[in-house]
Each structure stands twice: as structure tokens, then as C-alpha cells.
Amino acid sequence: MPASNSTSSSSSIDSLMEAAVAAVGGAPRPGQQQMTEAVAKAFDDEHHLLVQAGTGTGKSLAYLVPSIVHANATGKPVIVATATLALQAQIVGRDLPVLAEALRPVLGRRPTYGLVKGRRNYLCQHKLVGGYPDDEEDSLFSTGAVDQQLGRLEKEIVRLREWAGETDTGDRDDLVPGVSERAWRQVSVTAHECLGSTCPMVQECFVEKARAEARDVDVVVTNHSFMAIDSFEGRQMLPEHDALVVDEAHELVDRVTSTITDELTAGMVASAAKKAARYVDTQELADTGVFLGGVLDQLAEGRLLGLPDNLSLAVQRVHDSARSLSSDLKPDKPADNDGPRQMARAAVDEVLENAARLLEARELDVAWISRSEYRGSALNVAPMSVAMLVRDKIFGDRTVVMTSATLELGGSFDSVAGTLGLRGEGSPAWEGLDVGSPFDYPQQAIAYVAKHLPPPGRDGTSDQAIDEIETLIRAAGGRTLGLFSSMRAAKAATEAMRERFGDEFPVLCQGDDQMGTLVKQFAADPKTCLFGTLTLWQGVDVPGSACQLVIIDRIPFPRPDDPITSARSQAIAERGGNGFMAVSATHAALRLSQGAGRLIRRSNDRGVVAFLDNRMVTARYAGFLQKSLPPFWPTTDRDLVLRALKRLDETADAPVAPAKKPVPHAASKPDVQERFDAEAGRVTSTDAGDYDELVFTDDEPADAVETPERRAAEEHPAPEPLPAVPAVPAETDVVVEPAPAQGGEWTSDDDEELSDGVSLGLDVDELADHLDRPVAEVEARLKKLNLG
């Protein structure tokens, strides 16, 4: 990769951006230009940057062009990490191919790029030829009959083996259509199961080829989890680099937390014992697994404030037995190691490491018991905060650019910066920049709060709220995306609307079919409505007249019994802060911003976001939540909103089909033929849940290029602003406001927080812990306020 300082000047960036924008058929956008210059400056000056770029800004180009310039000047690649498969596909399958051709004449060479994923995303050549044992009950390679009696799983495996002889990449995302997770396990291995350099087929390894190619490119695209593992564990899976771009950065903390969350179950122990049984006597480990399962089944679900004695004993026995086996499984010399032994060692070591972590009881770890129908009881452990880990390992020795459409909450970057370890003593220097959006939000959309409705309660959606949903949908002529705080609420609203509407306005509900299919149906028919929960909040992209009303049933606070949320809240309260505001309100603000962002996806979209939770204007934290939303026209005037929806319905254009997502491919050397064109609309699946990625993205739609001339106030008359409410800062790791002294006088803020806690479903003990007051005092206050 040639290095040249001639392209590092501002004029060169400008000329490259001009070529890039022209290549995608766009026009210059001030926000995009501002972001491009800020990213280039961050790379040059080696300072961290948090940049919020609203939908339609074109943020991918705004960081990809400076990344290519930086790589060209330094000879080192820039790493780009995304949270979703959809954005990976967009960058590698659409943006970078266009950029590479557009910038070739300016740079004098074609920029290169590659896609790097975890080992489990690739075929294992050694496993394909029998180098590993089959996966227990899923084993089907030994099935010789190929006839009409083959089940779905067997057919998938037959197709996988045929595809293995044809693929150049071994990349699961290049297999069309995809296969189930059970089938894929038969042809792949985890990083811990891999034999590494001792594998007899290392020269043919798809993973090693992909990573070798990535060492010589300008831009390496990967995902948050892979980037985090590379940073935390020091495996050097990514090439040496000095610059990192994290897109969809609002998801980073959750992805990192998931990456370093561990569990221990009876099933894990039994599986490890079974895999190791061909080498050593594993009866003791199997027995400890049975003991562990029995103890877990007797304990209630929820957070553990320390391991109970009987559970600690069970985990200790599992740990000691696994430690003994781990030692026994080590081969006398590396050459004696093979696939089956390595798989057994990996399974036993995972049990050992997870048990050791639980017994260690680290200060920031949170342990809890969960239970599911299919997996039974599980003992889980996760970090309460990853802020210091992210600070040290991700921001430590490189320049980092974090970008998203939702990084400012309550009008400030402080909340998100706190979760990333960028606040407090010893934090690195950083700059926050909001480049806005090319959309004219006040002229394109209304934010309506149904102030007349009763506050949401614990008993489900109220009859008044159901009536409001019906009235709004009728005024909109369908065209409604319903975002609900729970699946129970979404299903209840679906059933009620189906009963009231019949065939007049079809109502689809998450779970009725694959999400990609549901979104396509919703986008194709203006009378159709789609209701659902978290998946829809976080990224459904339906531009045009099919979605002119977004209904949000209630403020999406996290569940009060969520172990990590409760632990974070408690820790902040113990330092004198307000855990509710610092954790729950921040979480809600992020989700509300994402949910409201589903409405305006392109320059001529118009509509209404309707909040059925009057706390959006009455609660003391309302100002904080309002400032986290796009700047729509705010109103509580129901009649105005109904008239606006009817006008929109009467003047609506035909629906716009959702944009098809490009397909990622493994490498991008100049001599590699691009393969995404013929398969541009396919589903890139890793399991059934990833079907959603066909039509989901956090990035701007392809046609959101120009800042349009708006149809002005005659279409959306300016209503009275929402009542002014003081904003309350919400920072995850800083003191927000002092907690009331135990036994002190009750203030109006205390009563507000008590009321909010009741509406969230907290019981008396949880309320007392939350407010740091005696249970009897809380009970008396509840009775006095008629909240009990």
C-alpha cells in the first residue's frame, strides 16, 4: 500500500469528496462536509472524536474518504467497526466499491478494502474432511441416505458440503439462501476449538486467507464484537493500525457487554464431560454438572448479591473438576493435539474459566440466574460497567472516531461519553460534534403527546390508549408503525385493532412471520400497519408514504428487574447520584430517539410521532427526553394532529419499496470480481433472527442525498411548543444529584420518582432500595399519595 503525504491536505480531501459524492449521484451537503473535515482533522491531530450525524447526512462517505486518505498517507489500514450486518453489507457491498472506482483517478490507484469476521463465520476445511467429531445430537454427516426422507437439517448439510466445493471465500454470508445454526455448526469451529498454526490444512484456511488479505488493504470492515475481542484479548486478529472508526456507536457498550458476558449451566458441563470422555474419565465433572443444575433449579430467577452457600459449593466443585481435566487433556507435545482433543479442551476450559470468574466475584461483575424453556436454568455473569475497559483498551493507543445518529442525549454528549469511559479523572481528550441532519424536521414532522391519556400502568395498555390508537390510525389511513414497550402490549394492541378494523386496515405483528417479510408487506400497502417491539425501535427503514405515523405506547424504560440495570442504578445511588435518571432515563432517551427516527427517512417524508405517555410533558425528566428527540414540531393538540394526518393521507404519493441491501463479500482486491450485484436483495443470515437485516439499517437511505426545498408552514402550522421542563443531565458514571437523606423530608422530586417507580412496576422493597428509605416510610408515603 503506497504511502504519500500529497493527499493529506484539505484541498485533496475536498477533491476526493467531490468525486465520491458525484459517484453516488448526490450533491454537496454541509453536514457531510463538516463531518469529513472533522474526521480528517482527528486523524491528523490524533484526537478522539464523537460525531452525531443525523439520518440523511451521508456519514459513511464522510468517514470512509478520510480513512482512505489516512491509509494512503501512513501505509496503515483504518478499521471500521459496525454493529449490524446490514451496515457492514452496505459499506462493503455498496459504498466502498463505488468509492474505489471514483477515487482511483484522483489517488492514482484503486483503494482497497476487506471484510474481517470471527472464525465461526467461515467454513473450517479441516472439519469438512473429518478432522473434528460431529456435534453430538446434531451429527448428521454419518447419514448415508440421500432420499426424500431427509429432514430439513440433513438437506442443509448436504447443500453445505456441495457449496464447500464451490466457494472461494468460505464466508457464511455468501451462502444463498442461508442455513440454520445447527447445520452451520457441522462445518465451522470457534476460535478456541481451532488448531491454529498446527492445523494440517492451515494453508487452505479461509480465515487465514481473509486476514492475510486484510493486512494489505486501506480499509478493514469488521463488527463491534470482533473489534472488542481483538482489543481486549490482544490476539492481533486485526492488522496493525492507528485509526479506528466505530459506526452505530450508540450500540457499542451493549455489544461489548455481551461479548464479555459468561454463563454456566448444567448442559454446558455435561457437554464438556461428553467431549472429553474419549481421553479421560469425566464422571466426576458430569456429576458436578448434575449437582449444579439441581441447585440452580431451586433458586429464584434474578440478580444475586453474592453466591448463596449451596450455589458457591456447586460452582466450586465444577471448577475443581474442570481444572483437573484441563490439565489431563493437555497433549504431551503439540503434534499430538488433534481436532477432537482441541474441541474437548475448549469445552472444558470454558467451563473452568466461567466458574473461576463466578467464584472470583469481581467488584464490577453482576451475577444472576435466568431460566428458559429450552435451556433450563443458567448462572450468568456480566460487567456492571465496561467504561474503564473501553477507555483503556479501545481508546488507549489509537485515534478513535465514534459516530451515530444518536449520540447526544438531553442535548449533550456527556451521557454517552460516560459509558465509554470518556468522563472523569484520567479520561482521554475528545471532541463532540453534532453535524445535524439535512432534513427540515420542524416542517416535515409533528411530535404529538396525548396529554389527556392516563399515565401508563402495570396492567397493560389502557382502554383510552387503545381508543387513541384506533383514532390515530383511522385519521392516517393506516400507514402506521407501532412501537411498543413489550411484546404483550404489541399483541394486545394488534388483537384490539384487528377486531375493530377487520379488513379495512390490516395489522401485522412481530412474530407473525419473518421480520423481513412483515416489513416488505408493510412498505408495499399504505393501509397496512405494523406493530412490534425492540427490533422495530432500532432500525426499520421504510421511507415514503407507507409510514406516516409512528406510535410509541410508553417511555421505554428498562425493566426494573434487569440485573445489570439495577446494579448500575444502585452503584450510582451509593455514590450519591440518582440511579433512575442516570441509567433508566438515559436508556429511555436513546430508545425514544431511535424510535422517533423511524419516521423521517428521506427528504420528502412527512408525518407524526405520537407518544401515548403523558409523562413526556408532565414528568420532571420530560425536558431531558424531549431534547433527545429530533426537533419535530411539538404539540399536545389532538385535533390539529388528526387534521394533519388526514391531509397527509389524502395527498400521499405511492409507497416506496424498502431499499435492498447489498451483499458483503470477503475481499476487495482490484482483480477480484464484485459479486454483490446479482444477489443484491438476498438475506444475509447467521440464524433465523438475522433475517431482519434485509431491510434494517442505522444508516441513511440511498436516496437521502440533497437538502430539499420544503413545503412550508401551510401544511404543518406551527403549534404551541410543549411546556418547558428543565432538562436533567443523565450520566452513567457521574453524580447527577444528591439522594435524599434516609428518613428526611419528602420533596416533590421524591414523590415524582416514587410515582415513576410505581408506574414501572417496582415493589415496595425495590422502591425503598431505590430511594434509600425504610420500607415502612415508603409504604406510608404510598398510602398518603394513594399510590399503594
Side-chain angles (χ1 to χ4, degrees):
M1 185 165 53
S4 170
N5 291 323
S6 63
T7 61
S8 61
S9 67
S10 175
S11 59
S12 296
I13 287 282
D14 291 343
S15 62
L16 289 170
M17 274 302 294
E18 183 178 347
V21 171
V24 299
R29 284 163 280 178
Q32 185 181 61
Q33 185 63 34
Q34 185 183 8
M35 178 175 173
T36 302
E37 294 170 357
V39 173
K41 188 174 187 299
F43 288 160
D44 288 343
D45 296 347
E46 299 182 355
H47 71 263
H48 304 308
L49 174 68
L50 271 61
V51 54
Q52 176 167 285
T55 303
T57 302
K59 60 185 171 67
S60 296
L61 293 189
Y63 62 70
L64 287 174
V65 169
S67 295
I68 291 170
V69 170
H70 182 75
N72 193 65
T74 64
K76 295 179 180 179
V78 174
I79 308 299
V80 174
T82 76
T84 62
L85 184 62
L87 185 53
Q88 268 190 11
Q90 174 190 303
I91 292 171
V92 177
R94 188 186 78 194
D95 296 341
L96 281 169
V98 172
L99 272 181
E101 290 304 318
L103 301 187
R104 185 206 297 258
V106 185
L107 289 176
R109 68 179 184 88
R110 186 181 189 273
T112 56
Y113 52 93
L115 180 63
V116 174
K117 308 177 186 179
R119 193 168 293 274
R120 282 279 280 111
N121 291 281
Y122 297 90
L123 288 171
C124 172
Q125 299 276 35
H126 190 41
K127 194 166 189 177
L128 281 168
V129 298
Y132 287 84
D134 301 334
D135 279 357
E136 302 169 5
E137 71 274 7
D138 290 338
S139 173
L140 289 168
F141 276 167
S142 59
T143 303
V146 181
D147 54 32
Q148 294 182 352
Q149 301 304 314
L150 287 176
R152 174 190 169 192
L153 184 61
E154 293 165 296
K155 290 179 180 178
E156 286 182 330
I157 292 175
V158 169
R159 189 163 67 84
L160 270 171
R161 289 175 89 54
E162 293 173 349
W163 176 70
E166 304 168 356
T167 178
D168 296 324
T169 66
D171 185 342
R172 182 175 183 174
D173 290 327
D174 288 341
L175 176 63
V176 184
V179 296
S180 66
E181 178 63 24
R182 292 180 67 195
W184 186 255
R185 282 205 303 266
Q186 303 301 322
V187 297
S188 64
V189 297
T190 67
H192 293 293
E193 293 169 341
C194 176
L195 293 172
S197 60
T198 65
C199 177
M201 301 194 71
V202 67
Q203 297 301 319
E204 293 82 22
C205 179
F206 289 120
V207 178
E208 297 304 321
K209 289 180 180 178
R211 293 180 184 174
E213 290 173 339
R215 285 195 289 270
D216 298 321
V217 300
D218 297 301
V219 177
V220 177
V221 181
T222 187
N223 59 63
H224 288 182
S225 298
F226 190 89
M227 179 273 295
I229 292 172
D230 180 77
S231 300
F232 299 161
E233 300 184 9
R235 295 190 204 166
Q236 295 183 327
M237 299 177 292
L238 292 170
E240 182 182 352
H241 60 279
D242 60 11
L244 165 69
V245 176
V246 180
D247 203 341
E248 301 174 307
H250 63 277
E251 294 281 357
L252 180 64
V253 167
D254 285 345
R255 301 285 171 146
V256 168
T257 301
S258 296
T259 299
I260 51 180
T261 295
D262 293 317
E263 68 174 9
L264 193 63
T265 69
M268 281 179 59
V269 180
S271 177
K274 185 174 182 179
K275 290 176 180 177
R278 69 170 65 192
Y279 301 102
V280 292
D281 182 1
T282 61
Q283 187 59 50
E284 181 182 345
L285 181 62
D287 290 343
T288 64
V290 173
F291 179 45
L292 173 68
V295 173
L296 287 175
D297 288 343
Q298 293 174 9
L299 296 171
E301 286 188 89
R303 183 183 170 197
L304 298 171
L305 300 177
L307 299 184
D309 290 344
N310 57 345
L311 182 57
S312 179
L313 176 62
V315 175
Q316 186 69 58
R317 288 183 178 178
V318 168
H319 172 271
D320 294 345
S321 181
R323 182 174 58 184
S324 176
L325 288 184
S326 179
S327 178
D328 293 342
L329 284 169
K330 291 180 181 178
D332 294 334
K333 53 183 181 295
D336 293 339
N337 201 30
D338 58 10
R341 182 185 290 271
Q342 184 64 27
M343 187 172 282
R345 291 176 63 193
V348 171
D349 285 348
E350 182 180 18
V351 168
L352 173 62
E353 291 165 6
N354 293 0
R357 179 179 177 183
L358 284 158
L359 292 170
E360 185 180 349
R362 302 172 189 170
E363 182 180 359
L364 290 180
D365 269 353
V366 180
W368 72 95
I369 293 174
S370 61
R371 198 160 285 122
S372 69
E373 179 181 355
Y374 301 105
R375 302 181 64 251
S377 301
L379 179 57
N380 310 273
V381 60
M384 179 177 63
S385 171
V386 296
M388 293 302 101
L389 188 61
V390 170
R391 174 194 290 188
D392 295 341
K393 301 297 185 179
I394 292 181
F395 288 94
D397 56 358
R398 56 192 164 190
T399 301
V400 181
V401 173
M402 298 267 176
T403 184
S404 167
T406 48
L407 286 180
E408 268 194 317
L409 299 177
S412 169
F413 286 97
D414 289 348
S415 295
V416 171
T419 67
L420 296 170
L422 298 179
R423 301 295 307 281
E425 185 178 353
S427 61
W430 59 278
E431 176 187 355
L433 173 67
D434 181 4
V435 300
S437 168
F439 301 153
D440 189 350
Y441 285 124
Q443 299 297 341
Q444 290 184 248
I446 294 175
Y448 163 59
V449 178
K451 188 179 180 182
H452 62 283
L453 294 180
R458 288 175 288 176
D459 299 326
T461 308
S462 67
D463 293 340
Q464 297 97 316
I466 292 293
D467 291 340
E468 186 79 0
I469 293 172
E470 178 188 3
T471 302
L472 289 167
I473 290 175
R474 288 193 183 278
R479 310 180 188 276
T480 300
L481 178 67
L483 305 179
F484 292 85
S485 54
S486 70
M487 202 63 228
R488 183 182 71 167
K491 289 181 177 178
T494 299
E495 292 172 3
M497 293 305 108
R498 285 173 177 171
E499 182 178 342
R500 298 183 183 205
F501 293 145
D503 296 331
E504 183 180 7
F505 300 113
V507 181
L508 308 174
C509 186
Q510 182 177 338
D512 290 347
D513 202 333
Q514 297 279 12
M515 186 57 74
T517 302
L518 295 176
V519 174
K520 282 183 178 179
Q521 293 174 354
F522 172 56
D525 179 15
K527 289 187 175 295
T528 296
C529 305
L530 175 60
F531 291 176
T533 56
L534 188 60
T535 302
L536 296 180
W537 283 80
Q538 294 192 96
V540 63
D541 185 8
V542 181
S545 62
C547 181
Q548 294 190 156
L549 172 62
V550 174
I551 293 176
I552 295 177
D553 71 328
R554 64 189 299 161
I555 298 172
F557 292 116
R559 287 173 54 95
D561 59 352
D562 177 77
I564 298 178
T565 296
S566 63
R568 289 172 177 168
S569 297
Q570 180 180 343
I572 291 169
E574 288 173 352
R575 298 200 303 271
N578 186 317
F580 173 78
M581 286 304 304
V583 179
S584 296
T586 297
H587 176 278
L590 177 59
R591 291 290 175 253
L592 285 171
S593 178
Q594 293 173 324
R598 299 311 100 208
L599 182 66
I600 304 300
R601 306 303 299 169
R602 62 176 193 171
S603 60
N604 57 351
D605 285 349
R606 293 179 296 159
V608 172
V609 176
F611 301 93
L612 307 187
D613 190 334
N614 65 13
R615 293 175 296 176
M616 286 293 296
V617 292
T618 61
R620 65 185 178 86
Y621 47 79
F624 173 74
L625 298 181
Q626 291 168 19
K627 288 184 178 180
S628 302
L629 298 173
F632 302 153
W633 277 119
T635 187
T636 59
D637 187 333
R638 186 172 185 260
D639 291 337
L640 180 149
V641 168
L642 296 178
R643 290 195 303 269
L645 286 171
K646 288 176 181 177
R647 286 199 305 273
L648 288 175
D649 180 38
E650 292 166 357
T651 60
D653 296 329
V656 177
K660 292 180 177 180
K661 298 298 176 247
V663 173
H665 71 100
S668 60
K669 295 290 187 179
D671 59 345
V672 176
Q673 177 66 36
E674 305 294 357
R675 293 173 306 220
F676 67 93
D677 290 322
E679 302 172 347
R682 76 176 179 88
V683 178
T684 51
S685 168
T686 55
D687 57 33
D690 282 336
Y691 197 96
D692 303 355
E693 300 292 355
L694 178 63
V695 288
F696 282 66
T697 176
D698 181 55
D699 207 71
E700 53 282 324
D703 64 349
V705 175
E706 301 181 35
T707 303
E709 295 183 1
R710 318 288 191 224
R711 277 190 244 187
E714 67 270 11
E715 301 234 1
H716 285 308
E720 290 296 319
L722 293 174
V725 183
V728 180
E731 300 170 4
T732 304
D733 64 342
V734 296
V735 174
V736 178
E737 62 178 316
Q742 190 169 23
E745 291 293 323
W746 286 85
T747 67
S748 59
D749 283 353
D750 299 336
D751 289 341
E752 183 79 40
E753 194 161 345
L754 183 64
S755 177
D756 290 334
V758 171
S759 69
L760 287 169
L762 301 180
D763 61 28
V764 175
D765 290 336
E766 290 171 323
L767 289 168
D769 180 65
H770 181 65
L771 293 164
D772 195 23
R773 291 178 179 270
V775 171
E777 185 178 332
V778 172
E779 288 176 333
R781 193 65 178 177
L782 288 170
K783 185 176 181 179
K784 182 174 181 179
L785 298 176
N786 293 319
L787 294 174

